[in-house]
Amino acid sequence: MLIKNYAIRIVLPECNPSAQKENAIAELPDDISEVLPYINATIKGCSYNPDAGTLRFIKEGKAITLHPRKIAIAGLEDETEASQVLNSLT
């Protein structure tokens, strides 16, 4: 992927703030929306929504949603796991 750097924020799920798992938001400095259709064509099981500009898929049991300027990952243990998953995408 064309992700060169990002800033991670760890957040609790909005729908369940007492959840045991965490979510991560990686803010991207560049807009990746132009590559989302190509990623959709190469990763099996993706759900691409061109109207919303999002691409969702599951990798290693984690729900990952790519947005034009951010990546959301659900079901993480901690920031270390968030970094590992994000590094596997680059």
Side-chain angles (χ1 to χ4, degrees):
M1 206 180 292
L2 301 173
I3 300 170
K4 296 178 181 142
N5 57 44
Y6 49 83
I8 299 175
R9 279 186 300 125
I10 301 298
V11 295
L12 293 174
E14 290 180 16
C15 61
N16 185 4
S18 63
Q20 298 297 316
K21 299 285 184 173
E22 299 175 336
N23 295 341
I25 306 293
E27 303 289 342
L28 307 175
D30 300 312
D31 186 333
I32 62 168
S33 58
E34 290 184 10
V35 300
L36 297 182
Y38 299 102
I39 296 170
N40 181 53
T42 60
I43 298 176
K44 291 182 182 182
C46 284
S47 176
Y48 177 54
N49 183 337
D51 295 330
T54 61
L55 178 73
R56 186 173 192 279
F57 59 96
I58 305 295
K59 182 174 181 176
E60 299 174 12
K62 310 299 178 209
I64 301 170
T65 306
L66 305 179
H67 299 262
R69 291 195 170 267
K70 71 180 178 181
I71 300 172
I73 306 170
L76 299 163
E77 294 294 329
D78 54 26
E79 190 170 347
T80 300
E81 185 178 25
S83 294
Q84 291 170 344
V85 173
L86 284 164
N87 287 336
S88 74
L89 299 176
T90 59

